[in-house]
Amino acid sequence: MTAFPPGRIRSVVRAGGVCALVVAGLAGLTGCGGEDPDAGTNGVGKLPAATIQAKTKKAAEQAKAVRLSGTVVSNGTTYALDMRLKSDGGTGSVTSKGVGFRLLRVGKHLFLKADAKFWAHQDDKDGGKGDTAAADKLEGMYVKVPTGDPAYQRFSGFTDKDVLLDGLLSLHGSLATDGHHEQSGVRTIRITGDKGSGGTLDVSLKGTPYPLLLVRAGNAGTLRLTDWGKDFPLEEPSRKETVDYGQQLPAS
């Protein structure tokens, strides 16, 4: 009979005990000594990439509110966004080419608030002589944007939760998972389009599978999505704070 040193016996017993737990199917182990990265999660990390994307899109659609911050490149222009959105409107800041402004939409009513630097870029029929006067009048005021104005079509999308997220959360190309990651202390599963060239999306493994980080295809921006489901006040500014141009804003 072969004799084993005491230390060797303890090692064998420990290894055998671990493997016995695996065979017994206890949660948290995928092999002898290996931890399951999906233990204690919502389970979406074990699903195919296409299914994960479908679940996270549905979760985003059903959420009452979200905060979206980061950058978006559209038609060659980079916009830095910090928007809070819900089904009936949104509010927040947008910066482009060093010029910032605020947007507020309540229902169909869109308001734009900016400083003199923004309004000084407005073109005037008199060759620009009215720029200073317009800037002084509009600085710090909420300007109501007519629905038929080109600016309405250009900026209202930044305040529309459904339109914005539907366009942003679609990855391009063949979908695949790309391991487990972490965003602001929350474990995530990452899905990619065409191995990352079609964009990447980190999906929460805690609770509802909300999208938490989006890297858009073609270097078209990076966005963080937070405060899912957290409501916020949304109301039109008072008349004293508002300028109504009627049918047409100054040409931008």
Side-chain angles (χ1 to χ4, degrees):
M1 181 177 180
T2 303
F4 288 90
R8 174 62 174 162
I9 292 175
R10 285 194 294 271
S11 297
V12 171
V13 170
R14 283 198 298 269
V18 170
C19 290
L21 291 176
V22 176
V23 173
L26 295 182
L29 298 174
T30 55
C32 297
E35 292 188 357
D36 182 356
D38 291 299
T41 72
N42 54 23
V44 298
K46 298 180 179 180
L47 301 176
T51 304
I52 297 173
Q53 183 180 53
K55 283 184 172 293
T56 198
K57 277 192 169 187
K58 184 177 181 180
E61 290 172 359
Q62 294 179 341
K64 292 183 178 180
V66 62
R67 181 174 182 178
L68 188 152
S69 59
T71 58
V72 172
V73 180
S74 178
N75 297 322
T77 300
T78 299
Y79 298 92
L81 310 178
D82 189 357
M83 301 295 300
R84 300 193 71 179
L85 310 169
K86 53 185 179 180
S87 60
D88 58 343
T91 182
S93 63
V94 180
T95 302
S96 176
K97 298 180 180 180
V99 179
F101 53 94
R102 294 192 63 81
L103 292 173
L104 168 64
R105 184 177 62 83
V106 183
K108 292 184 178 180
H109 296 163
L110 176 67
F111 301 87
L112 190 155
K113 183 179 181 179
D115 59 19
K117 183 179 179 181
F118 176 89
W119 294 113
H121 286 278
Q122 304 308 300
D123 201 1
D124 195 86
K125 291 182 179 180
D126 62 4
K129 294 179 181 180
D131 286 355
T132 301
D136 290 342
K137 180 181 179 181
L138 301 177
E139 182 174 18
M141 300 292 288
Y142 282 99
V143 177
K144 189 173 184 179
V145 183
T147 55
D149 193 278
Y152 190 97
Q153 301 302 321
R154 183 179 181 187
F155 295 132
S156 63
F158 288 132
T159 65
D160 193 315
K161 171 180 172 287
D162 294 335
V163 171
L164 194 58
L165 292 183
D166 185 59
L168 292 175
L169 296 181
S170 295
L171 302 179
H172 303 286
S174 179
L175 298 179
T177 56
D178 187 28
H180 292 69
H181 299 267
E182 185 177 299
Q183 299 298 332
S184 301
V186 179
R187 286 189 289 172
T188 65
I189 182 69
R190 181 170 297 169
I191 57 176
T192 66
D194 278 347
K195 299 181 179 180
S197 63
T200 69
L201 185 66
D202 278 32
V203 178
S204 176
L205 290 175
K206 179 181 179 181
T208 306
Y210 290 124
L212 300 183
L213 178 70
L214 170 69
V215 179
R216 302 183 70 203
N219 298 316
T222 299
L223 292 166
R224 293 189 178 277
L225 302 100
T226 58
D227 294 349
W228 285 103
K230 293 184 179 180
D231 198 10
F232 59 93
L234 191 64
E235 59 184 23
E236 294 189 16
S238 67
R239 290 186 178 182
K240 292 182 179 180
E241 301 174 285
T242 307
V243 175
D244 191 342
Y245 259 90
Q247 299 300 314
Q248 184 73 43
L249 289 182
S252 176

